[in-house]
Structure formats: C-alpha cells, structure tokens
C-alpha cells in the first residue's frame, strides 16, 4: 500500500480516533476503526506454537521444538517450513500477528529463557530468525522480532539497565534484528529493560538504527506493559502500546499532543504504520464504505479445535523430522548408536523425563499441544513386536504440585474426566460454570461481577496414604477435601512480573489421608482481588516411594536389559520465563542415577531433555549422550528415529556447553554491565586456558567426514561477499549430512577482535565414500567492525584467515584472503588461494 493511500486514511481520523488505535483494545487485540475499513488485529504468543487469544487447554496447538532446537538444526530451509506451519496455525486460530521469533542472544548459559532464544552467535541467530520470519509472513501472518534489544536475561528484566558499548551493541545484540528487518519483518517488539540509561519503549534505538538506517517500515509494539510513560514513549518511535484497554496513552496522549508536548506528526506516523501492517495481514478493507461499514470482525475465521484437520498428518511428519534434525549427538563411543532393534529383547527406559518429557519451556510462550509422544511412548512404538520396553522413573525430580487432570479427576456435576470451574458473585451465588480439562486454570471466563473462582473435582486416588493437596493463587485462597478446610490463607503478591503474576502463582499445600478407589471431593476457591491475576490451580499428588527405593529399582532393571535409555532434564523452576538459573547442575539425584545405571549396564544411552546448557559430570563415563532440547509434541517419535537409526541426529550445538558460566545475569544496583564486550559464548571460551565440555557447533552423526580442501579468491572487495568452497568426503558406511562451518580470524589487527567468529555455514549431503562440495557465502559484513568513532561500519584492509570445519574448535582447513586494494606480495599470488590442512 502506497504512502499516499495511507495518508488519505489517516486524514479521515481525528486526533482522538488516531490515538485510540495506538493502545490495544483488549489483552490480545487492537482496536477496529470501521470508518476506514479497519478491523481489529489479533496477536498471539509463539514461538513453539500459536496459542490464540487467552489460555484455554481445550484450544490446542501444534507444538514445535524449542527455539534452541531449531537453531541446532542449522537448517534455514527447514525452519522456514516450520514458520509456514506456524502461519497456518495462526490463520486457523484467527491470529494476525505472531509474537515470535525471539532474537535475544545466549549471553550467559544462566539465562532462564534461553529455550525461547536461538543461540549465542549473532549470525546463526540472525539466519535462523530470518528464516522463521520468511516462513511466517509468506502465509500472510506478521512475525514479530523480539525483544529489541539486550533483553538477554530474566533477573530484574522489567527494570534492569543493560550497559553495552556501541560496538558490542551493533556487532552482537542488534545484528539479529537487522537480519530480521532485511528479511522483511512486519513487527518489532520493544523490550522491558533499558539500554544505556533509557527504557526501550523510549529509546532512541527505535528511531535509529531500526527505522532510520535499517529502513524498518513496520510497527514497533511494546512488550506487554512495557510503555511506562506518555510523552517520552510517544515522542520516541514506539508505535503500539499493549495490552489494552488501559494504558499510559489514551486521553493523556491526546492532551499531550494538544499541549504541544508530542507532535501530531509523530502520531500520524504511528497510525500510518499500523494501517500498513493491517493491509499486510488482510485487516484493512479499502473498499469499505465509511457511511455504512459493517461491524469490524475480530479476525479471520478459523477453527478453534485441535482435532484432525487438513494437513495434520503432514504437519506431524514435519515436526517429527524437526526433532531428529535438531537432536545433537554429543558422544558415541564404540558406535553404540544407532541401536539395532533386531539385537534387542529387553530395553529399559529410565529417568524422570522418560514418561513425561518437557516438550516446551515455561512462561508466556507456552501452548497446549494437540498431542504429546513421550520418549517412552516413542520407543515402545518403535520396538513394538520386537522388544519388551520397561520403565522406572528413578529418584523423584520435581516437588512442584501436579494439577488435577483427566487421568485422576472427574467433574462432580457431569462425571466427565476433568474439573468443574465456577465463578461466584460477592454473595457466593454461581454466575457461571464450565467443564475444564485441568486443575491449572490460567484463564476462566471473564465476567465483571465475578468475585471468586472455584475449582471442584472428584479425585479418584490410585493409592492409599497421605496425599499432598495444593491450591495456588494470589489473594485469599481456600482448599477443602471432603468438607475439611485444609488451607485458608491470604497470599500477598510480591512481584510485578506478569509471567509470575498470571502464570505461576504460589502454592499452599496440605496433607490429607485417602483410600485407594474411594472418591475425595476437592474444592479450591480464590478471591478475585484487583491486581491478583486470574490464575488458579488445584493439585494433588500421591505418596511417593523413597528416592533410594526408586534408584535401586531403576538400577536393578538396567542390569537385566540389553540396552538402557536414561532421560534426564530440567524442571520448570530451572528454565522458565521470569527467572534466571543460579547454577547449571541437573536437579535432584539425576547425576547419581546416570552413574549408577551406567555402572550396571555398559550399553547406556543418556538423553538430555533441557532447553539450554547443563553440566554433565558423567559425560566421559557413558558411551552415548544425546541432547534433545525441548523437542515439541513429536518428541518420542523423533527420538526413536534417531536411537534406532531411521534418521541421523542432525543437530549441532548453537551454544557452548560448559561446566561454568563466564558472565553473570544479576544486575548490580539495577545495572547489568556487558563488560565482556564481544566475547560471549565460544568467543569467550577461546580465551580460556581450559576448553568447555562441548564447543559451539559440535555434533556427531552416524558417519564420519574428512575435510579435504578449502578454496577462496585471494583478493576480496570490502563490498562483496566471499565464496568459500569446501570439499569434504563421507568416510563412513552410511549416508549423512554435515554442517560445514566457516569462521574468520584476523591475527594481525589494529582493532580489538574475537579470536575467531562464525562467518557462514552450509549443509553437505553425501553417501558412503562420496565427495561433497559446498559453497559457503561469507557476507561482506563478516569482515567489518563497527567504529564507535565514526558511528559506521569499517573494513580493516589486510589479510584475514578463513577457517572451515565442524565446530568453533575443530577447523582442519584454512586459507588466507586479502581484504582491500593492496597489491599481492610475491608470496601471495593473485587468483585462487587454497590451503588444505590435513
């Protein structure tokens, strides 16, 4: 849509109507303006799926692997396909704007939300993020690059001030957002935090480089609640304040414009951008007649069920492929993997995450999956008719209460599996009732006169003894069992973080004796106080066997089996929005479980189910270690494909795995200093005397590769990309895929630089004994550095080293290139220069 046409629409609106458009109409939607043919636009969280408006477990979503898993594929084309899947889900749910991808970097492995971010490297993050953007927007749905910028940790995330020098900001933290803009992203989300003294919704970085140097012509939306001022935020390049309908703009902004504190031209630009977005997603009808325009619709029509639908089978196949493509084989001594099903009669599947793996991280990006295939389910299906698959959980891992579900609770009104949720008025009278599938009710129906939310269920205990019952919520909470009051307490809210307020209210627990097979009526009530959020939880857990007993049972089972698969991982307390990690250890007694099982059975495979790096102190004591990340709904199928050789583990680490963090995520007096500069992740570890456990880019396949040659032009223009041709050979007995990685270094330099940095990558496929040749295009930007003195990109002329191989530390090939115009020396002839280091 042309600027003239947008201007014509803006001119039709008075100041009040223009300002009204700049704050959300609801938590998830924008305002409509029928007079100019504008309907409301609906937003929804991602990036592992499209939840839709609100939280309702009855509205399910196809669930992708976590962002870290997608980056581990190093496969732009696959991620673009998955972006298209997200676009289809968005259209099905009537969503116009998907709040993904998250382009913040893994500055420290302690970051609690890293599962939602791609990697520690700006180039890999930028390429994978751009692929996601292209896939989503090809489907007519807006992608949102977030959280702009330096929102790389969760501790004090609402208020911290990130102090980042200009060069580090440009070369690392802004770079993925620049890549998203180059890919044509339609929306950028400003972060909660500040950068160099200014909160991001008021930051000059929104105007430049985002809208200025980069030419971003889309909408800058705030993170939810991120606009904290009227004049400063409106004078900045912040366009849309979410959520609504309340906020700091509205009438206050109208008054500020009339008082001359905010130029009306700034308001017009924001509205123009909003209309351009509406045009792109199909929310603007230019043929609408202002005189008798129909009421604006909330969004494109779409089914809200999660059942069978067109293309569902193909979508599951793609998700299953993505699991295998993202799985990283960290270790495979004596080629234990892949396991040969014909040699197996009894297989033990152990560990707390085997029967109920974490398929996604915690927080606002969570969705309700259509279905979940656990590792245990996938392995049993793969070995059906071939081997007996037995399971023991091992020592207990998570002491967080378990919400009631369809497996152990019934609606006392209808008898259906699940719970009864009622809203009561101030006198205790019922004003609404509905059947729900879980005791974790994040969002009951919204009724203004509701004073209390009640969850009621019949618990059918499968075991005698003292059960632990729990209720969660802010404000006054009550818990009853068979008429006995167990909890009656005021729970004061102690945080402003929306992820905690609305998604993770605190639990209050009690113990109650029950008899197996005899129903217990459970009731929880929570007073709906202003500002207390709307989430309520009713939970119940049976008596648990002692950890020593469970550990012994797991080890004994391992002794009797032909192979053992141990699934270990993190918990929601460790990897969750709103809190960083305090350590990198696996929780509970999982390390002890792995060591004991490996000692009992040498054919032990360990699968690590986490979104980010963990310490694996036993990694040299077990023959095979797989990293599955948070793998999405097809977790078990994809894992089984890898374990039994139907697919190769295609993943390579997008983040260095080490036994300690080199930088902190904890602000000091509200300030988080990025004092490490350019050296994060593998760049920092290249300067350490001891190597990390596993380098960035590391990952094994089921074949072996020999890197034979690298060829590059000798003379390189600072304005042109560099083609790097790499020849490698599959020296194994299986067909395979290798991620060919190219890094640059500058040994003789007048500019402070990392020891080396990722400059490009490509995928190589070859059969046994075959040669593959790939060309990795290194962008001109890879040779440049940001000059704070000139506030511009600069290229330092001279010789750079090109390194090619399979990880940041395993680079068997190298060549030299001359950047700039100086003539070649007698030792460096012009033309092609090739140096193979064998």
């Amino acid at each position: 849509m042309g600027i003239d046409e947008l201007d014509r629409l803006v001119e039709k609106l008075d100041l009040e109507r223009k300002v009204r458009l700049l704050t959300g109409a609801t938590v998830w939607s924008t305002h409509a303006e029928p007079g100019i043919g504008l309907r409301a636009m609906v937003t929804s969280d991602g990036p592992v799926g499209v939840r839709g408006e609100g939280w309702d477990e009855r509205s399910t979503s196809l669930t992708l692997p976590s962002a870290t898993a997608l980056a581990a594929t190093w496969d732009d084309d696959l991620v673009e396909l998955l972006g298209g899947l997200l676009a289809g889900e968005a259209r099905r749910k009537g969503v116009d704007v998907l709040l993904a991808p998250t382009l913040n970097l893994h500055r420290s492995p302690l970051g609690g939300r890293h599962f939602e971010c791609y990697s520690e490297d700006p180039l890999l993050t930028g390429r994978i993020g751009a692929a996601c953007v292209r896939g989503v927007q090809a489907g007519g749905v807006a992608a949102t690059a977030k959280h702009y910028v330096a929102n790389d940790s969760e501790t004090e995330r609402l208020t911290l001030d990130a102090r980042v020098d200009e060069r580090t900001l440009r070369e690392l933290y802004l770079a993925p957002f620049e890549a998203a803009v180059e890919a044509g992203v339609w929306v950028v989300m400003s972060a909660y935090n500040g950068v160099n003294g200014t909160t991001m919704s008021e930051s000059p970085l929104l105007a430049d480089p985002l809208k200025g140097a980069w030419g971003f012509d889309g909408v800058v939306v705030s993170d939810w609640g991120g606009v904290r001022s009227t004049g400063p935020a409106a004078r900045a390049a912040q366009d849309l304040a979410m959520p609504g309908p309340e906020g700091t703009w509205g009438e206050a902004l109208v008054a500020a414009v009339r008082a001359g504190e905010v130029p009306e031209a700034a308001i017009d630009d924001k509205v123009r951008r909003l209309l351009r977005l509406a045009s792109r997603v199909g929310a603007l009808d230019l043929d609408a007649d202002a005189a008798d325009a129909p009421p604006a619709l909330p969004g494109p029509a779409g089914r809200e069920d999660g059942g069978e639908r067109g293309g569902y089978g193909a979508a599951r196949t793609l998700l299953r492929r993505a699991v295998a493509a993202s799985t990283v084989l960290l270790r495979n001594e004596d080629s234990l993997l892949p396991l040969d099903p014909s040699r197996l009669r009894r297989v033990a599947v152990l560990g707390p995450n085997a029967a109920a793996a974490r398929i996604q991280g915690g927080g606002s990006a969570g969705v309700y999956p259509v279905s979940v295939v656990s590792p245990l389910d996938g392995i049993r299906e793969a070995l059906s008719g071939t081997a007996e698959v037995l399971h023991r959980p091992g020592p207990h891992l998570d002491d967080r209460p378990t919400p009631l579900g369809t497996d152990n609770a019934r609606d006392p009104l209808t008898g259906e599996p699940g719970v009864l949720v009622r809203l009561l008025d101030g006198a205790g009278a019922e004003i609404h009732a509905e059947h729900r599938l879980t005791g974790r009710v994040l969002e009951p129906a919204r009724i203004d006169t509701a004073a209390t939310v009640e969850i009621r269920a019949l618990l059918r205990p499968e075991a005698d003894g003292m059960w632990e019952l729990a209720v969660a919520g802010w404000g006054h909470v009550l818990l009853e069992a068979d008429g006995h009051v167990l909890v009656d307490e005021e729970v004061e809210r102690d945080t402003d973080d929306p992820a905690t307020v609305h998604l993770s209210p605190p639990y209050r627990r009690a113990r109650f004796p029950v008899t197996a097979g005899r129903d217990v009526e459970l009731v929880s009530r929570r007073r709906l106080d202003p500002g207390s959020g709307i989430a309520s939880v009713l939970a119940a857990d049976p008596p648990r066997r002692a950890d020593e007993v469970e550990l012994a049972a797991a080890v004994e089972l391992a002794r009797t089996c032909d192979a053992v698969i141990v699934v270990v991982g993190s918990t929601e307390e460790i990897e969750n929005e709103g809190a960083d990690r305090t350590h990198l250890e696996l929780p509970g007694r999982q390390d002890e479980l792995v060591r004991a099982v490996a000692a009992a059975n040498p054919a032990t495979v360990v699968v690590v189910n986490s979104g980010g790096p963990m310490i694996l102190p036993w990694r040299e004591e077990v023959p095979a270690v797989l990293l599955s990340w948070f793998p999405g709904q097809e977790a078990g199928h994809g894992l089984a494909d890898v374990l039994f050789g139907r697919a190769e583990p295609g993943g390579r680490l997008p983040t260095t795995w080490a036994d300690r963090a080199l930088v902190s995520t904890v602000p000091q007096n509200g300030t988080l200093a990025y004092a490490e500069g350019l050296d994060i992740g593998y760049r920092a570890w290249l300067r350490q005397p001891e190597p990390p456990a596993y380098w960035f880019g590391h990952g094994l396949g089921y074949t072996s590769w020999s890197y034979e040659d690298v060829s590059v032009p000798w003379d390189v223009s600072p304005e042109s990309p560099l083609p790097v041709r790499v020849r490698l050979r599959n020296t194994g007995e299986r067909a395979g895929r290798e991620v060919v990685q190219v890094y640059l270094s500058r040994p003789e330099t007048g500019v402070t630089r990392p020891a080396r940095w990722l400059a490009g990558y490509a995928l190589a496929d070859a059969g046994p004994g075959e040669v593959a040749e790939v060309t990795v295009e290194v962008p001109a930007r890879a040779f440049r550095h940001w000059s704070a003195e000139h506030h511009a990109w600069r290229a330092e002329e001279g010789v750079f080293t090109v390194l090619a191989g399979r990880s940041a530390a395993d680079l068997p090939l190298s060549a030299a290139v001359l950047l700039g115009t100086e003539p070649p020396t007698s030792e460096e002839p012009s033309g092609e220069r090739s140096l193979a280091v064998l």
Side-chain angles (χ1 to χ4, degrees):
M1 175 179 286
I3 293 178
D4 291 344
E5 203 162 15
L6 292 173
D7 286 340
R8 179 181 62 81
L9 295 177
V10 173
E11 289 172 0
K12 288 186 174 185
L13 304 175
D14 59 24
L15 178 60
E16 285 81 0
R17 292 162 78 195
K18 287 188 289 190
V19 167
R20 178 175 174 269
L21 292 176
L22 303 182
T23 296
T26 68
V27 173
W28 299 109
S29 67
T30 63
H31 280 286
E33 186 54 65
I36 58 171
L38 174 67
R39 66 163 171 80
M41 289 181 284
V42 175
T43 67
S44 173
D45 272 314
V48 297
V50 184
R51 190 176 60 251
E53 291 186 88
W55 296 82
D56 190 330
E57 72 283 355
R58 297 165 295 184
S59 177
T60 57
S61 308
L62 290 171
T63 307
L64 281 64
S66 64
T68 43
L70 299 190
T73 68
W74 294 60
D75 190 335
D76 304 14
D77 293 340
L78 175 58
V79 173
E80 191 166 339
L81 288 175
L82 291 166
L85 187 152
L86 289 172
E89 284 286 275
R91 293 193 303 271
R92 179 177 71 87
K93 293 200 168 198
V95 169
D96 302 290
V97 180
L98 181 67
L99 303 176
T102 302
L103 300 179
N104 302 113
L105 297 185
H106 297 177
R107 173 177 170 264
S108 167
L110 295 170
R113 201 177 181 182
H114 280 352
F115 57 84
E116 196 179 323
C117 311
Y118 290 119
S119 85
E120 69 187 21
D121 184 84
L123 183 136
L124 178 59
T125 296
R127 280 185 54 171
I128 296 297
C132 179
V133 167
R134 290 192 299 270
V136 170
Q137 294 187 171
V141 175
T144 304
K146 67 182 188 182
H147 310 82
Y148 186 89
V149 62
N151 185 200
D152 309 295
S153 55
E154 295 295 285
T155 306
E156 300 179 26
R157 67 178 181 143
L158 302 183
T159 57
L160 76 82
D161 181 33
R163 296 299 173 96
V164 195
D165 69 80
E166 186 178 341
R167 184 180 174 200
T168 298
L169 194 60
R170 288 283 188 153
E171 293 189 22
L172 289 188
Y173 300 101
L174 285 169
F177 291 93
E178 185 175 5
V181 172
E182 289 175 353
V185 73
W186 295 341
V187 181
V188 170
M189 180 186 289
S190 59
Y192 286 127
N193 59 282
V195 173
N196 296 331
T198 307
T199 191
M200 279 310 303
S201 60
E202 303 170 10
S203 174
L205 293 170
L206 299 176
D208 193 69
L210 180 58
K211 291 183 177 179
W214 299 350
F216 174 64
D217 67 354
V219 169
V220 175
V221 64
S222 71
D223 206 338
W224 267 226
V227 172
R228 285 91 173 234
S229 67
T230 301
R235 288 192 296 271
Q238 178 72 51
D239 299 317
L240 176 62
M242 292 295 286
E246 305 300 325
T248 59
W249 284 0
E251 293 180 3
L253 181 51
V254 171
V257 173
R258 290 198 167 129
E261 298 171 7
V262 177
E264 189 163 357
I267 303 300
D268 291 347
D269 180 69
K270 299 177 196 300
V271 174
R272 191 180 298 115
R273 289 170 177 273
L274 195 70
L275 296 177
R276 182 181 292 120
L277 173 63
S279 174
R280 286 168 165 166
V281 302
L284 187 61
D285 180 6
L286 296 177
D287 296 325
D289 186 348
D292 54 5
L297 299 173
R303 288 181 59 189
E304 285 299 324
D305 65 279
E308 292 294 328
R309 49 189 176 269
Y312 178 55
R316 289 191 65 183
T317 299
L318 179 61
L319 294 176
R320 181 172 181 162
R321 173 187 162 196
V323 175
S326 64
T327 299
V328 180
L329 180 58
L330 296 176
R331 177 177 169 86
N332 193 23
E333 291 301 294
D334 300 322
S335 299
L336 176 62
L337 291 176
L339 298 170
D340 183 353
S342 68
R343 296 176 177 268
L344 302 174
R345 293 295 174 264
R346 279 170 59 92
V347 174
V349 181
L350 310 176
N353 288 41
R358 287 195 71 190
I359 67 164
Q360 60 184 318
S364 61
V367 300
Y368 298 100
V370 173
S371 60
V372 176
V373 182
S374 72
L376 179 61
D377 293 335
I379 293 166
R380 277 184 169 153
E381 183 176 326
L383 296 179
S384 177
T386 300
E388 182 182 13
V389 177
L390 303 109
H391 168 63
R392 295 301 311 177
H396 185 63
L397 174 59
D398 190 355
D399 65 354
R400 175 173 288 202
T402 306
L404 295 177
T406 54
D407 58 336
N408 64 356
R410 290 182 294 117
D411 184 326
L413 190 63
T414 66
E416 297 176 87
V419 304
L420 173 66
V421 177
R422 300 197 306 154
L423 295 179
L424 313 176
D425 64 16
E430 178 185 299
I431 54 178
H432 176 79
E434 61 182 342
H435 176 72
R436 300 293 292 262
L437 306 179
T438 173
R440 185 173 184 245
V441 181
L442 298 180
E443 198 166 42
R446 292 177 179 266
I447 299 177
D448 291 341
T449 55
T452 300
V453 58
E454 178 189 272
I455 306 173
R456 186 180 292 264
L458 296 175
L459 171 69
R460 176 58 62 91
E462 74 273 18
D464 293 333
M466 296 293 293
W467 278 55
E468 185 172 90
L469 310 178
V471 59
W474 303 101
H476 182 261
V477 294
L478 178 78
L479 173 62
E480 295 180 354
D482 281 345
H484 299 277
V485 176
L486 305 179
V487 175
D488 186 353
E489 187 176 340
E490 290 284 342
V491 181
E492 292 188 17
R493 200 179 104 181
D494 58 2
T495 178
D496 291 325
D497 193 307
T500 304
V501 171
H502 297 295
L503 303 177
S504 301
Y507 282 95
R508 295 297 183 265
R509 314 178 193 217
R511 291 164 64 83
F512 189 75
V514 304
T515 302
R518 179 183 175 278
D519 285 348
V520 178
E521 185 172 30
L522 302 181
V523 179
S524 72
R525 295 190 189 93
R526 186 176 74 82
R527 192 176 62 231
L528 294 172
D529 296 331
S532 67
I534 55 176
S536 300
V537 187
L538 177 58
D541 287 284
R544 297 188 174 106
R545 297 206 303 175
D547 281 352
E548 291 296 339
V549 174
E550 290 289 3
L551 178 61
V555 172
E556 183 56 34
L557 176 60
R559 291 186 208 279
T560 68
C561 291
D562 303 309
V564 182
I565 298 152
V566 187
V567 187
V568 297
S570 65
T571 64
E572 193 162 328
E573 288 87 345
I574 291 176
E575 292 186 278
N576 192 19
E577 180 179 354
D580 288 320
R581 293 198 271 172
T582 58
H583 61 79
L584 300 177
E585 289 85 6
L586 286 167
R589 300 174 65 177
Q590 295 183 93
D591 291 334
E592 185 179 352
L593 172 68
V594 170
R595 283 181 159 136
V597 167
N601 191 323
T604 293
V605 180
V606 180
V607 180
V608 184
N609 175 207
S610 72
M614 310 294 296
I615 294 175
L616 311 178
W618 34 259
R619 60 183 180 271
E620 302 295 331
E621 303 170 31
V622 296
V625 182
L626 282 168
L627 172 57
S628 71
W629 310 103
F630 295 150
Q633 68 175 62
E634 295 300 312
H637 282 152
L639 176 61
D641 289 343
V642 169
L643 287 170
F644 305 115
R646 295 174 185 159
E648 189 174 30
R652 303 296 185 267
L653 287 180
T655 292
T656 302
W657 278 48
D659 290 345
R660 60 190 174 95
L662 297 179
V663 296
S664 172
T665 61
V666 180
Q668 301 297 319
N669 299 318
T671 298
L672 186 59
Y674 284 44
E676 70 283 350
L678 298 173
D679 287 333
I680 65 170
Y682 68 91
R683 301 171 179 215
W685 279 101
L686 286 167
R687 301 192 185 281
Q688 297 296 311
E690 298 294 328
Y694 299 106
W695 285 97
F696 172 83
H698 171 72
L700 307 173
Y702 287 157
T703 189
S704 55
W705 297 88
S706 171
Y707 280 72
E708 297 185 345
D709 186 67
V710 60
S711 298
V712 296
W714 166 240
D715 299 301
V716 182
S717 165
E719 305 301 321
S720 302
L722 171 72
V724 179
R725 290 194 291 275
V726 180
R727 186 177 73 240
L728 64 164
R729 185 182 303 272
N730 181 344
T731 56
E733 299 178 354
R734 289 175 55 111
R737 168 173 286 192
E738 176 77 330
V739 179
V740 179
Q741 302 165 42
V742 170
Y743 296 77
L744 293 179
S745 70
R746 172 85 163 136
E748 302 294 329
T749 179
V751 179
T752 302
R753 299 178 186 275
R756 71 184 67 112
W757 59 97
L758 182 68
Y761 60 87
L763 303 178
D765 293 281
E770 292 181 352
V771 169
E773 291 192 0
V774 298
T775 298
V776 178
E777 185 173 280
V778 173
R781 173 65 64 81
F783 290 93
R784 297 175 186 165
H785 64 276
W786 181 260
S787 170
E789 178 185 358
H790 300 94
H791 302 289
W793 292 99
R794 290 286 187 265
E796 184 186 27
E797 295 183 349
V799 177
F800 285 74
T801 301
V802 178
L803 302 145
R806 56 180 64 89
S807 78
D810 187 358
L811 300 164
L813 301 180
S814 68
V817 296
L818 177 66
L819 185 71
T821 57
E822 36 180 283
T825 66
S826 58
E827 290 83 15
E828 306 291 356
S830 60
E832 292 275 312
R833 173 174 169 79
S834 174
L835 176 62
V837 181
L838 302 178

